[in-house]
Amino acid sequence: MSNEDLDAPSGRSGHLPGERGGHPSSWEVVIGMEVHVQPRTRTKMFCGCAVGQLGDPPNSNVCEICTGMPGVLPVINKAAVEACLKTALALNCEIPRHTKFDRKNYMYPDLPKGYQISQYDLPMSHDGVLELDGRKVRIRRVHLEEDTGKLVHAGDKLHMAKESFVDLNRAGIPLMEIVSEPDLRSADEARDYAVALRTLLRTIGASEAEMEKGQLRAEPNISIRRIGTEELGVKTELKNINSFRALHRAIQFEVARQVEVVESGGTVVQETRGWSEAEQRTFSQRSKEFAEDYRYFPEPDLPPLELDPKWIEALRIALPEMPGVRRSRLISEYGLPAADAGLITADVMLANLFEAAVKAGAQARPAANWVIGEVAPSGKLPSAEVLADVVKMVSGGSITRDQGREVLTESLSSGRAPAEIVAERGFAQDSDEASVKVIVEAVMVANPRAVEDYRAGKKQALGALMADVKKRAPQANPKVANSLLQKLLG
Amino acid sequence: MDTTHMTLAELQRLLQARELSAKDLLSEHLMRIDNVDHDVKAFLRLTPDLAKEQAATADRALKAGEAGPLAGIPLAVKDVLCVKGVETTAGSQILRGFKAPYTGTAVGRLFEAGAVMVGVTNCDEFAMGSSTENSSYFPTHNPWALDRVPGGSSGGSASAVAAGEAVVSLGTDTGGSIRQPAALCGVVGMKPTYGRVSRYGLIAFASSLDQIGPFTRSVEDCAIVLEAMAGRDPLDATSSDRPNDVRRDFDAGVKGMKLGVPREYYDVDGIEPGVKAAIDKALDVLRGAGAEIVDVTLPHTDYGLAAYYILAPAECSSNLARFDGVKYGMSDQEATNITDAYMNSRRHGFGTEVRRRVMLGTYALSSGYYDAYYLKAQKVRTLIKRDFDTAFEKCDAIVSATSPTVAFPIGSKTKDPLAMYLCDVLTLGGNLAGLPGISVPCGLSEGLPVGLQVLAPQWREDVALRVARAYEVASGVKVEVAPL
């Protein structure tokens, strides 16, 4: 639930970083995204091996099937198909009656069979759309395939390495590939798209989609063209991106690089480029001249899949409300600001907590503030009743916001009811004007300088006086104290 | 009583009556192998330790009255079927020393039924060939004429049964690799419907065509072995959950059945007069047993061979990519980069015919050629299936020669790949259409065995077996063990 990777946009949408290219405003950026997502499954795509953890010993989650021993055969993992179909439905894709798997042939030591089982001309789904702040990003297809293994080189560079090791723990892990049309126009949009996808995948339970764990890998295809032209420029594809921040920076860098290339009279070469996190730049990995001919053909070991429309319909009906739809509803139904609704619906658990707390009696706006300001950063979810109680007490003025925060923390660790904690700690807030007045007067006597300053027109002196009120009497209702102070000073 | 000349069914009775022990049956076979295999060369390696253990287990089961249908029966296994702990090399140097880490489903089911594995049989490398001369080890000899080939690719398995070295054996059939050697060695061999027997553990040549099947000395034995290994396997998505009814109406005879003779098969180019005469005689026998012989046509037969030699190499080019010298088998140690390591391991590990087919298949799948070759061949495959569907509207089963020729001399076709490919002309249609087909001995031509092929509609092994059984009974042709 951490939002640290959702750092603030570093440029306005559509605006190019101009420090390297001459006239950035004359170029339009065109981005299509290929996103690989590991669906939430217990076992691999075509065998019974466990989908292990990141730190598992090398080759500990393998069998004869995912290591490509002679004579083995794949069997389709139904849970992976289901996750893919749910994703496709959530992205409003069309799902055909028949789909099939194909072999993508190429040789590399991390690919034990010498081919990857993927989908070519009859993918699991096609022609969908993801709404991004009211803009529609077209989804070309969502299909299913298997992951490759991992190479570990003893040395800095592949060609310098004395030894290379193959870890096949990841080989055969299911992957959904979500391909967008080139509908994105900036690094911001591309990043927002990837974040929206993550939210959607978590909402429907199709994937944990942790980018740092490699469960969501975004590969943008980037090209530039003169504003006003229709023809697409030559694109480059970026790989090795492992955070949303890196995605944003990599695209910014690559766009600036392409602008510079073109404006200095060169041409962009179609190629795959890697993102170096250390150097914060992209570098050429594989040019199209050496592109492989993958010799796709239908996987003969797997009969074509017939997708039962009743199954699809059942999955469709069972889908939860999509984040975009929910966001709009939170705005209209509860009067939340758009930004707040966006932050809350970015995490389905937060959104559920918010609505349940409101249902339990909390006012919407304060509840939203508590969810965004207190719950989300803490990473711990209170029950809706606890949150509602705290919000009600704070809004009603019976405890201060600081006390409310303390009550919430204590309730989360001990599981006790907020009212109980408030009573025990004597937090009940004093809103009685007569008793608060005694405090306020004492503070005014103790701070003649601040009183003088305020009366001389330095309104900020009020803060110092309020701070002293809080120090002497934490239970005093700040609103009451504030208005009393102003009255007595005025 | 020479047990090496008896059928599974006969031995089953002796074993179950405790008149014979699995242990003794095994030692008689090991002795027979010792006596004749230096001439026949059916085996690449023997598995006496495994066999002794399995024979002891079989004897205990027989004593306890819990014996499976193959309890104590000596079995030979083609070198493309994985058996845990046993070196399995697909007849290739690239897998030399590879011990399979698991046992495939079909072999595993026969083990569960009590079979005693005596050894691994020779075959054409990766099952690519029709004479077993493409084995990277040595050619196998036809037990009926040692200077001739046993057929292929499952030549070792066919000759082991023909020479009395095993009671039954397993082969694989991608374009005729069980039926053709069965015909040339004078034994019964059957390719089941695609999907009838699990392919799990079969080192793939062409995944959409490969099937595992038995070699036996009678049609009844064939039915017993097939029944023991048939049926749905959760590890093979192409295996079928249809009922295991292969022995239904086994002895019902052919009276009233319509048997189709495709004119394209009957008059196939290069068919030897002696083979044709033997088939004519067999048709008379079937007619005499009450069958009606009808003319049918398979008009796309001519294109079958071409389609087959696109599709099978295409699939093989992909299936054989895993033999890269990285994980197992031959691995070039001199190369300093991965591409050279791949190229050297494969260049030295694969034989000429395998390299030829990998190249053919790679070409056929290449961008720009896919439509003209692979896709076109798939369309032809559909037409060939339709040919059979139409033919089966007019008949219950199709009968023909299994091979246009009898066993040919070793070395006579090795220089001419196309002549070798023509050996499969009567069998590969069954693979393209996924049909069950059986070859039964139907007499001799020039002193050499001729095979009668019976093809039935998909999932109708019962029909193929019933016709073959009826022929066997009516003709009185008994499978003999070659006099070595």
Side-chain angles (χ1 to χ4, degrees), chain A residues 64-65 67-73 75 103 105 107-109 112-115 293 295-298 300-303, chain B residues 82 98 102 199-203 207 234-238 318-319 321-322 324 327-328 338 342 362 365-367 370 374:
Chain A
E64 68 245 25
I65 298 173
T67 55
M69 288 292 151
V72 299
L73 298 170
V75 176
R103 290 189 186 174
N105 295 284
M107 288 177 78
Y108 204 61
K113 299 187 296 294
Y115 55 84
D293 178 356
R295 293 174 287 122
Y296 280 99
F297 75 104
D301 289 329
L302 295 170
Chain B
C82 289
F98 173 74
Y102 70 101
R199 291 181 293 117
Y200 193 76
L202 155 59
I203 300 178
S207 311
L235 295 175
D236 179 357
T238 64
S318 173
N319 285 330
R322 71 187 61 197
D324 58 5
K327 304 170 291 287
Y328 39 71
I338 188 66
Y342 284 155
T362 302
L365 289 174
S366 297
S367 150
Y370 181 89
Y374 183 84

Side-chain angles (χ1 to χ4, degrees), chain B residues 442-481:
Chain B
C442 66
L444 303 176
S445 164
E446 302 166 47
L448 292 166
V450 175
L452 172 73
Q453 172 174 248
V454 183
L455 293 170
Q458 280 198 321
W459 312 112
R460 298 311 302 269
E461 279 84 347
D462 62 317
V463 170
L465 286 162
R466 177 178 163 187
V467 172
R469 167 69 165 179
Y471 171 76
E472 190 182 47
V473 170
S475 67
V477 174
K478 272 248 185 304
V479 176
E480 284 178 49
V481 168

Side-chain angles (χ1 to χ4, degrees), chain B residues 332-346:
Chain B
D332 179 83
Q333 299 299 314
E334 306 302 313
T336 54
N337 64 66
I338 188 66
T339 310
D340 287 351
Y342 284 155
M343 304 248 270
N344 294 343
S345 299
R346 290 165 69 82

Side-chain angles (χ1 to χ4, degrees), chain A residues 65-366:
Chain A
I65 298 173
C66 56
T67 55
M69 288 292 151
V72 299
L73 298 170
V75 176
I76 298 170
N77 180 340
K78 194 179 174 188
V81 173
E82 188 166 312
C84 186
L85 290 173
K86 277 161 74 174
T87 304
L89 289 167
L91 290 169
N92 308 295
C93 288
E94 286 177 39
I95 295 173
R97 286 292 294 269
H98 304 276
T99 179
K100 71 175 168 76
F101 287 89
D102 300 275
R103 290 189 186 174
K104 178 179 179 178
N105 295 284
Y106 67 96
M107 288 177 78
Y108 204 61
D110 66 5
L111 188 67
K113 299 187 296 294
Y115 55 84
Q116 179 194 30
I117 304 178
S118 181
Q119 297 199 281
Y120 187 54
D121 56 346
L122 289 175
M124 201 81 69
S125 66
H126 58 90
D127 293 312
V129 64
L130 176 66
E131 282 211 31
L132 203 60
D133 293 333
R135 235 167 76 59
K136 287 185 193 318
V137 179
R138 290 169 300 155
I139 304 294
R140 185 178 297 168
R141 58 191 282 162
V142 181
H143 77 241
L144 210 47
E145 59 186 33
E146 58 177 338
D147 205 350
T148 62
K150 194 173 81 177
L151 296 186
V152 182
H153 305 294
D156 298 340
K157 295 253 163 61
L158 177 56
H159 64 276
M160 308 275 276
K162 289 215 157 50
E163 279 183 296
S164 295
F165 302 93
V166 186
D167 177 4
L168 296 178
N169 278 349
R170 285 204 67 85
I173 284 182
L175 288 181
M176 300 187 276
E177 184 174 325
I178 304 169
V179 185
S180 85
E181 295 293 344
D183 287 353
L184 299 160
R185 292 291 173 269
S186 69
D188 285 3
E189 276 193 9
R191 190 252 335 272
D192 293 349
Y193 168 83
V195 171
L197 260 189
R198 181 179 70 171
T199 305
L200 178 139
L201 290 160
R202 289 179 176 176
T203 301
I204 61 174
S207 172
E208 314 280 348
E210 295 268 11
M211 219 170 172
E212 292 75 10
K213 290 184 184 166
Q215 293 167 336
L216 187 151
R217 283 173 256 168
E219 290 161 7
N221 284 268
I222 303 162
S223 63
I224 55 169
R225 64 182 171 198
R226 291 269 174 207
I227 284 177
T229 55
E230 286 296 307
E231 202 184 332
L232 288 170
V234 176
K235 68 179 179 183
T236 57
E237 182 179 350
L238 302 189
K239 288 186 187 283
N240 306 348
I241 292 170
N242 53 18
S243 71
F244 292 110
R245 188 182 289 128
L247 173 66
H248 192 263
R249 293 194 181 153
I251 294 173
Q252 281 188 318
F253 178 92
E254 182 57 18
V255 167
R257 188 192 69 83
Q258 290 190 10
V259 168
E260 192 175 87
V261 166
V262 176
E263 292 193 344
S264 59
T267 50
V268 175
V269 179
Q270 185 170 349
E271 62 183 348
T272 301
R273 297 179 69 85
W275 167 249
S276 165
E277 190 64 42
E279 298 170 50
Q280 295 284 301
R281 63 180 194 90
T282 66
F283 58 94
S284 179
Q285 280 187 319
R286 200 156 39 116
S287 100
K288 197 73 188 171
E289 288 162 67
F290 302 104
E292 302 245 12
D293 178 356
Y294 291 121
R295 293 174 287 122
Y296 280 99
F297 75 104
E299 167 56 279
D301 289 329
L302 295 170
L305 268 185
E306 308 255 334
L307 299 171
D308 182 357
K310 281 189 209 136
W311 185 35
I312 308 293
E313 204 40 46
L315 291 176
R316 190 196 304 276
I317 289 165
L319 278 183
E321 187 178 24
M322 289 307 117
V325 176
R326 195 170 196 178
R327 180 172 171 272
S328 307
R329 187 169 59 75
L330 293 194
I331 295 168
S332 62
E333 197 173 322
Y334 300 101
L336 296 188
D340 288 3
L343 286 169
I344 288 175
T345 51
D347 185 325
V348 66
M349 305 294 279
L350 291 182
N352 289 345
L353 175 65
F354 165 75
E355 291 207 81
V358 172
K359 207 171 170 193
Q363 278 179 284
R365 292 287 287 268

Side-chain angles (χ1 to χ4, degrees), chain B residues 66-77:
Chain B
E66 294 159 354
L70 270 81
I73 299 298
L75 163 77
V77 175

